[in-house]
Amino acid sequence: MLLTSNNTRELSEALKRRCVYLFIDYPTAEAELRVVRLKVPDLAPALAKQAVDLVQRLRRLDLKKSPSVSETIDWAKALVMLNAQHLDKETLNSTLTLLLKHEADVQRAIDA
C-alpha cells in the first residue's frame, strides 16, 4: 500500500510508525524543464526556460503552498494559449494565480 501526502495535514504518529517515509523533493530546474518541454511541446524553448526558472524561484519563497509541477505544466499551457512570447510583467500578473493558490502567496511573490 502506498500513501502520499503533500503535508496538507499532519499524519498521526501511529500511522507514521507503520510506514516507510520517503521524501521526494521538487525536481531540479533541468528535470522540470524536460517535463514541461515533453508535456507542452508548443511552448517556445526560451519561454519554457523562463517559466521554469520563475517557478523554481517561487519555491524558494516562504509560501503557504509552493507551485507543483502540475501547476507549472498548467501555466505553460496557458502561456501557449495566450500566445505569450516572453514573461513580461503584464503576462505574469495576469497568470500568477495559476501557480499560486493563496492571495498572501501572490502578494509575497509580487513583492519579491
Side-chain angles (χ1 to χ4, degrees):
M1 178 178 289
L2 267 190
L3 301 174
T4 64
S5 169
N6 291 333
N7 286 332
T8 56
R9 65 183 117 152
E10 188 62 33
L11 301 176
S12 73
E13 292 303 316
L15 181 61
K16 287 189 220 178
R17 266 194 320 273
R18 291 168 176 87
C19 296
V20 174
Y21 177 78
L22 177 63
F23 176 78
I24 301 173
D25 204 354
Y26 293 106
T28 64
E30 295 78 23
E32 189 166 18
L33 182 57
R34 285 193 305 270
V35 170
V36 168
R37 298 296 318 270
L38 179 68
K39 296 292 186 176
V40 193
D42 294 337
L43 187 63
L47 184 53
K49 181 164 179 12
Q50 276 187 307
V52 168
D53 287 347
L54 180 92
V55 170
Q56 294 277 323
R57 286 196 316 271
L58 288 173
R59 289 187 186 130
R60 288 192 289 272
L61 297 176
D62 183 26
L63 301 175
K64 203 171 195 179
K65 184 198 175 300
S66 292
S68 66
V69 175
S70 175
E71 287 159 336
T72 305
I73 293 166
D74 290 344
W75 185 46
K77 290 176 182 177
L79 293 173
V80 169
M81 288 189 282
L82 293 170
N83 293 317
Q85 301 304 311
H86 62 287
L87 282 182
D88 55 34
K89 188 173 183 168
E90 180 183 341
T91 302
L92 183 57
N93 287 341
S94 65
T95 60
L96 196 54
T97 54
L98 291 169
L99 293 170
L100 303 174
K101 305 304 180 183
H102 297 276
E103 184 57 30
D105 288 348
V106 171
Q107 288 306 314
R108 182 166 280 126
I110 289 171
D111 293 342

